[in-house]
C-alpha cells in the first residue's frame, strides 16, 4: 500500500513570465514524485499530441527548476530522483507517437502506472515534502556557525530546528486547503497555528494576487514573526516579496502609526478610530476593544457597507472579542473566507471555545451566520492540530499541573466542563475514567510531541525549579545563568526570553532586573517599551516581556521569574493561567524561578509533578464542584477588588476587637450574628463534602 501525500491544485510555481498551477502532485517514498495534468479532451485520430506533450514539458521544466534550488534534493549535478509527469484523460487516449515524452493514461490506469515507478531514499522524500510544502524557509535564518561544542544547547537547537521543516498531516491540510467560506484551526500553543496561517496567507496571495487579504493578530509583538514568515513563504511561491497593499499584516486594533483591521474599517466608513485611552476610560480596562468594536458595529448596522477584504486570517482568536469577528464578517466579501486559529486552553478554565453563533452572531431570522459542517470531498472547515512542537512533554505536564492546581494542597483551582478535552490536547488515560466526579491518571501521549524531544533533551534539564529568599538573589542567579547560556551553552541573545507575570508592574520590575544583567555585562530591553511595540527580540540584547507581550511568541530558553505570583490571591485563576502561559513560551528549556514564602507552595507542586514522573493524578470535579471553583476563584473587577479590601479590613478589625475583649459576640446585632454563623456553617459543610 502506497503511503505519501497527494496535493490537489498545489503548489503554484512561478516562472519568469507566468504562474504554473499543478493539477495534482504525488510525493511518496515508494514511488517518488509524480505530477499530474488533467486533460480537457483527447488527442484525436489525426494527432493533437503536441499540445499535451508541451503541457508536460512546461510542467517538468518548472518543477526541475524549482526543486533544483534545494541542495538536499541534488546528487552531484542532477536531482536525486526522477520527475514523472502524467497526463490523465477521461477515456483511453491510445498510444502516443514515439517522439512524445512523458506518461499518458486514462483515469482507470493511474494506479497501475504509478505502481511501476521506482522508490526514493527516505531522507530525500522528507526533503522533497518540505520543498513542496514551502516550509524549508521555516528552518532557522541563522546558521549557528558559532556552535563548536558537541552537545551544547546551541548544537541541540541546530538539530531541533532542522527537525521542524516538515508539516505533519493536519498542518498540511490546514495550510493548503481553504474552503469556500469560513474555517477554524485549533490546537495547543506550539502546534503550528501561526506558521500554518502565514503559509496559507502566502499561498492565497500567490493564487489570487488581486485579492485583498488581511493576516491579523492580538499581540503586537507577533507582528515581527508573522511578517517574516509571510515574506519568506511568498518568496518561495512567487520569487518576490508580497504586495503589501494586497497581503496586509495587520494588528487587530491598530495604532497611530500602523493600520489595524479595526482602524482600517473605521476610516473606510468615515469614523475616527478610537484609541486605547478612550476605550479604557469608556468601557473599562477589562475589555476595551470589545467596546470600540461594538461602537463601530452599531454605527454601520443601518447602512449598506462595501466589503474591504477577500479573505481574513485571524491568529490568537481566543483573545479577540465577538464584536471583532462580527466586524470582520461584515466587511469580508462573500463567501466569507474567514480563517481563525484558536488556542485550545489558553484560558484553562474555559469549558469550551465560543461557538460560531457566539462569535459571529445570528441572522435577523435567528439562523446561524457561520457553520463549520464538513462535507465529503471538500476542504475541512474545522481542523484540529493534535501535536505540540513547541513544548516538551515535561514542560506541558508541569504547566497543566500548575495551571489547574492538580497537586495544590487546597485542591483544584479550575477545570473545564468537558473532561474528554484531555484527550483532545494530547493526554492518554493510564487509569480511571474521563468523566465528571471520577479519579484519573493522565500522561502525555507519545503521539502528541515529536520524537526528537526525548532523543535530544532530558526531563531534569527541560524543566528546572529554583527558589530564592528574595528578589535580588533571584535576579543575580538569572543573570549568571544567562552569562553561561551565551558562553558555554552557545545560545544567542534571541534564544532567551525572560517573562514577567505582572503587566502592571513590568516597567518598574524590569529596571531592577536589567541592573542585575548589566552588572554582568549583558544588555536587555523591556519589549514594547525599550523596543518597538511590534518586536520582541533585539540583536545583542536579552528580551524581557510581561505576560501579554510574551503571548504568541516563544524562545528556546525561557526564564519564568517571580513565579510566586501564581500562588497569591486574589484572581487565582488568572494568576495560574499567567504561569501556564509563561511556561509554554519555552521551545526546549524553562527555568521556573520565584522567591519568598508564596513560592514554597508553587515549588512543592512542581516537585510533586516530578515525583509522579509527570503523570497527572487527580479527581475530576463534579458539576457542583465546578460551580464552586468558578465562584471561589473567579476574576474580580476593580470595584469588586476594592470591596474585598474594605471587607477584609473591617473583618480584621472586628476579629481584633473580639480577641482583645473590646467587643463581645453578643454585642453584634442579632441578624449580623446569625448571618455570620450561617455562612460559616455552610462553608464548613462544603469543605466536608
Amino acid at each position: 500500500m502506497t503511503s505519501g501525500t497527494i496535493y490537489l491544485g498545489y503548489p503554484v510555481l512561478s516562472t519568469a513570465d507566468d504562474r504554473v498551477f499543478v493539477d495534482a502532485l504525488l510525493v511518496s517514498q515508494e514511488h517518488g514524485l509524480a505530477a499530474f495534468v488533467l486533460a480537457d479532451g483527447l488527442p484525436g485520430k489525426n494527432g493533437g499530441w503536441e499540445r499535451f506533450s508541451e503541457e508536460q514539458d512546461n510542467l517538468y521544466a518548472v518543477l526541475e527548476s524549482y526543486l533544483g534550488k534545494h541542495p538536499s534534493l541534488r546528487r552531484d549535478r542532477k536531482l536525486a530522483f526522477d520527475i514523472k509527469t502524467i497526463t490523465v484523460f477521461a477515456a483511453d487516449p491510445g498510444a502516443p507517437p514515439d517522439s512524445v515524452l512523458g506518461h499518458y493514461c486514462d483515469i482507470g490506469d493511474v494506479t497501475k502506472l504509478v505502481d511501476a515507478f521506482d522508490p526514493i531514499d527516505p531522507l530525500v522524500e522528507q526533503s522533497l515534502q518540505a520543498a513542496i510544502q514551502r516550509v524549508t524557509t521555516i528552518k532557522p535564518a541563522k546558521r549557528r556557525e558559532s556552535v563548536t561544542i558537541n552537545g551544547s544547547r546551541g548544537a541541540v537547537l541546530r538539530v531541533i530546528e532542522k527537525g521542524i521543516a516538515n508539516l505533519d498531516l493536519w498542518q498540511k491540510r490546514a495550510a493548503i486547503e481553504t474552503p469556500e467560506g469560513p474555517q477554524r484551526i485549533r490546537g495547543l500553543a506550539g502546534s503550528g497555528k501561526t506558521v500554518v496561517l502565514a503559509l496559507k496567507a502566502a499561498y492565497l496571495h500567490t493564487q489570487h494576487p488581486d485579492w485583498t487579504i488581511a493576516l491579523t493578530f492580538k499581540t503586537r509583538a507577533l507582528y515581527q514573526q508573522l511578517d517574516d514568515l509571510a515574506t519568506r513563504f511568498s518568496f518561495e511561491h512567487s520569487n518576490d516579496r508580497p504586495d503589501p497593499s494586497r497581503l496586509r499584516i495587520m494588528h487587530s486594533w491598530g495604532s497611530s502609526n500602523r493600520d489595524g483591521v479595526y482602524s482600517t474599517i473605521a476610516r473606510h466608513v468615515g469614523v475616527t478610530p478610537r484609541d486605547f485611552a478612550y476605550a479604557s476610560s469608556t468601557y473599562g480596562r477589562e475589555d476595551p476593544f470589545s467596546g470600540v468594536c461594538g461602537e463601530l458595529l452599531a454605527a454601520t448596522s443601518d447602512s449598506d457597507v462595501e466589503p474591504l477584504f477577500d479573505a481574513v486570517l485571524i491568529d490568537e482568536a481566543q483573545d479577540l472579542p465577538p464584536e471583532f469577528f462580527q466586524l470582520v464578517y461584515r466587511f469580508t466579501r462573500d463567501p466569507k473566507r474567514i480563517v481563525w486559529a484558536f488556542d485550545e486552553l489558553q484560558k484553562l478554565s474555559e469549558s469550551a471555545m465560543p461557538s460560531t453563533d457566539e462569535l459571529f452572531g445570528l441572522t435577523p431570522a435567528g439562523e446561524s451566520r457561520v457553520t463549520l459542517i464538513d462535507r465529503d470531498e471538500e476542504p475541512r472547515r474545522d481542523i484540529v492540530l493534535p501535536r505540540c512542537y513547541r513544548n516538551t512533554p515535561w514542560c506541558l505536564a508541569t504547566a497543566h499541573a500548575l495551571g489547574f492546581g492538580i497537586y495544590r494542597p487546597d485542591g483544584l483551582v479550575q477545570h473545564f466542563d468537558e473532561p474528554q478535552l484531555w484527550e483532545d490536547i494530547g493526554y492518554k488515560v493510564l487509569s480511571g475514567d474521563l468523566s465528571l466526579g471520577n479519579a484519573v491518571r493522565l500522561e502525555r501521549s507519545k503521539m502528541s510531541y515529536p520524537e526528537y524531544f526525548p532523543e535530544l533533551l532530558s526531563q531534569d534539564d527541560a524543566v528546572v525549579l529554583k527558589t530564592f529568599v528574595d528578589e535580588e538573589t533571584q535576579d543575580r542567579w538569572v543573570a549568571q545563568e544567562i552569562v553561561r547560556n551565551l558562553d558555554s551553552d552557545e545560545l544567542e541573545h534571541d534564544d532567551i526570553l525572560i517573562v514577567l507575570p505582572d503587566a502592571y508592574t513590568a516597567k518598574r520590575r524590569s529596571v531592577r532586573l536589567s541592573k542585575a544583567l548589566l552588572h554582568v555585562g549583558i544588555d536587555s530591553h523591556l519589549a514594547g517599551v525599550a523596543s518597538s511595540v511590534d518586536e520582541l527580540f533585539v540583536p545583542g540584547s536579552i528580551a524581557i516581556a510581561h505576560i501579554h507581550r510574551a503571548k504568541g511568541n516563544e524562545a528556546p530558553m525561557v526564564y519564568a521569574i517571580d513565579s510566586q505570583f501564581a500562588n497569591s490571591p486574589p484572581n487565582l485563576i488568572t494568576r495560574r493561567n499567567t504561569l501556564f502561559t509563561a511556561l509554554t513560551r519555552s521551545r526546549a528549556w524553562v527555568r521556573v524561578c520565584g522567591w519568598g514564602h508564596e513560592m514554597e507552595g508553587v515549588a512543592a507542586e512542581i516537585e510533586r509533578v516530578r515525583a509522579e514522573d509527570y503523570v497527572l493524578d487527580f479527581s475530576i470535579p463534579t458539576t457542583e464542584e465546578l460551580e464552586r471553583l468558578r465562584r471561589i476563584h473567579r476574576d474580580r473587577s476593580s470595584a469588586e477588588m476594592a470591596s474585598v479590601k474594605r471587607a477584609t479590613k473591617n473583618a480584621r478589625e472586628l476579629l481584633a476587637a473580639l480577641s482583645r475583649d473590646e467587643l463581645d459576640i453578643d454585642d453584634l446585632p442579632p441578624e449580623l450574628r446569625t448571618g455570620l454563623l450561617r455562612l460559616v456553617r455552610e462553608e464548613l459543610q462544603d469543605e466536608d463534602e
Side-chain angles (χ1 to χ4, degrees), residues 329 356-358 360-371:
Y329 184 90
T356 55
D357 288 352
E358 292 175 273
F360 295 98
L362 302 174
T363 67
E367 298 175 346
S368 299
R369 280 202 175 98
V370 168
T371 60

Side-chain angles (χ1 to χ4, degrees), residues 294-575:
E295 256 189 32
L296 192 51
L297 274 173
T300 58
S301 62
D302 297 328
S303 58
D304 291 332
V305 297
E306 180 187 353
L308 277 170
F309 308 108
D310 296 282
V312 179
L313 294 85
I314 305 170
D315 202 5
E316 304 183 299
Q318 73 284 346
D319 294 325
L320 293 165
E323 292 83 357
F324 176 75
F325 284 84
Q326 291 159 33
L327 271 180
V328 167
Y329 184 90
R330 184 171 293 176
F331 287 88
T332 301
R333 294 182 180 88
D334 289 332
K336 306 296 184 183
R337 294 181 185 87
I338 302 168
V339 183
W340 68 101
F342 197 96
D343 203 339
E344 297 264 35
L345 298 183
Q346 182 71 57
K347 297 177 180 177
L348 296 178
S349 58
E350 290 176 339
S351 58
M353 71 184 68
S355 68
T356 55
D357 288 352
E358 292 175 273
L359 289 179
F360 295 98
L362 302 174
T363 67
E367 298 175 346
S368 299
R369 280 202 175 98
V370 168
T371 60
L372 296 173
I373 299 172
D374 288 323
R375 299 179 177 88
D376 291 341
E377 299 182 2
E378 289 187 11
R380 293 180 65 90
R381 293 175 181 266
D382 191 16
I383 294 180
V384 179
L385 305 180
R387 181 172 283 200
C388 180
Y389 290 89
R390 177 192 296 162
N391 307 133
T392 67
W394 316 293
C395 172
L396 206 48
T398 302
H400 280 130
L402 292 169
F404 286 104
I406 298 291
Y407 295 121
R408 179 172 169 264
D410 294 331
L412 292 174
V413 172
Q414 57 186 324
H415 197 274
F416 31 76
D417 290 346
E418 301 173 11
Q420 291 298 324
L421 277 174
W422 283 110
E423 289 184 329
D424 291 345
I425 62 173
Y427 284 86
K428 72 173 183 179
V429 177
L430 298 179
S431 64
D433 181 34
L434 282 178
S435 57
L436 296 176
N438 285 338
V440 69
R441 285 173 55 83
L442 307 170
E443 74 173 2
R444 294 296 295 165
S445 163
K446 287 183 172 57
M447 296 299 294
S448 69
Y449 55 86
E451 297 81 0
Y452 51 70
F453 277 152
E455 291 172 359
L456 298 171
L457 304 172
S458 71
Q459 62 184 43
D460 291 339
D461 189 38
V463 181
V464 171
L465 165 70
K466 296 296 292 185
T467 60
F468 304 90
V469 295
D470 54 33
E471 177 187 283
E472 183 180 357
T473 309
Q474 172 195 247
D475 291 358
R476 286 201 306 266
W477 181 85
V478 169
Q480 291 295 338
E481 284 297 296
I482 292 177
V483 169
R484 187 163 67 88
N485 294 155
L486 297 173
D487 186 8
S488 58
D489 288 344
E490 299 187 306
L491 297 183
E492 300 179 17
H493 287 78
D494 60 356
D495 292 327
I496 302 166
L497 174 64
I498 303 175
V499 182
L500 302 174
D502 192 345
Y504 294 110
T505 63
K507 285 186 181 180
R508 298 192 303 276
R509 179 67 186 90
S510 66
V511 170
R512 301 191 295 274
L513 180 60
S514 292
K515 286 182 179 178
L517 291 165
L518 195 59
H519 184 72
V520 293
I522 296 174
D523 291 331
S524 61
H525 63 280
L526 180 61
V529 177
S531 65
S532 165
V533 295
D534 298 324
E535 294 181 341
L536 181 62
F537 297 105
V538 173
S541 178
I542 298 297
I544 303 171
H546 62 66
I547 195 65
H548 300 310
R549 289 284 180 196
K551 282 177 68 175
N553 287 279
E554 61 183 49
M557 174 68 76
V558 168
Y559 289 88
I561 71 169
D562 297 344
S563 295
Q564 73 279 354
F565 178 85
N567 215 30
S568 307
N571 295 347
L572 201 56
I573 286 178
T574 294
R575 289 170 177 261

Side-chain angles (χ1 to χ4, degrees), residues 244-321:
S245 69
R246 291 298 183 181
L247 177 52
R248 308 187 65 182
I249 316 298
M250 309 172 76
H251 183 251
S252 55
W253 193 330
S255 62
S256 59
N257 59 359
R258 196 186 291 276
D259 288 339
V261 171
Y262 159 79
S263 63
T264 297
I265 292 173
R267 294 189 183 96
H268 175 65
V269 297
V271 173
T272 301
R274 302 295 194 180
D275 61 14
F276 180 78
Y278 167 87
S280 58
S281 63
T282 305
Y283 300 105
R285 297 183 66 89
E286 276 72 26
D287 200 1
F289 192 40
S290 172
V292 297
C293 287
E295 256 189 32
L296 192 51
L297 274 173
T300 58
S301 62
D302 297 328
S303 58
D304 291 332
V305 297
E306 180 187 353
L308 277 170
F309 308 108
D310 296 282
V312 179
L313 294 85
I314 305 170
D315 202 5
E316 304 183 299
Q318 73 284 346
D319 294 325
L320 293 165

Side-chain angles (χ1 to χ4, degrees), residues 146-196:
S146 60
V147 172
T148 60
I149 305 171
N150 289 334
S152 71
R153 297 190 198 280
V156 169
L157 276 183
R158 188 161 57 186
V159 177
I160 288 177
E161 288 164 341
K162 287 180 180 178
I164 61 173
N166 278 74
L167 301 180
D168 63 33
L169 170 64
W170 291 103
Q171 289 171 329
K172 290 176 193 174
R173 300 193 72 163
I176 296 169
E177 297 182 14
T178 302
E180 289 294 300
Q183 184 182 49
R184 179 174 62 190
I185 301 168
R186 50 198 173 103
L188 283 175
S191 56
K193 299 183 297 298
T194 297
V195 168
V196 162

Side-chain angles (χ1 to χ4, degrees), residues 537-614:
F537 297 105
V538 173
S541 178
I542 298 297
I544 303 171
H546 62 66
I547 195 65
H548 300 310
R549 289 284 180 196
K551 282 177 68 175
N553 287 279
E554 61 183 49
M557 174 68 76
V558 168
Y559 289 88
I561 71 169
D562 297 344
S563 295
Q564 73 279 354
F565 178 85
N567 215 30
S568 307
N571 295 347
L572 201 56
I573 286 178
T574 294
R575 289 170 177 261
R576 289 282 170 152
N577 287 345
T578 294
L579 184 55
F580 169 83
T581 303
L583 266 63
T584 54
R585 299 310 91 200
S586 159
R587 191 146 43 92
W589 306 279
V590 63
R591 305 299 181 243
V592 189
C593 309
W595 53 274
H597 173 70
E598 295 291 351
M599 187 59 190
E600 294 175 6
V602 176
E605 292 179 52
I606 295 176
E607 293 289 2
R608 178 71 186 280
V609 178
R610 186 175 297 164
E612 295 287 344
D613 199 22
Y614 300 92

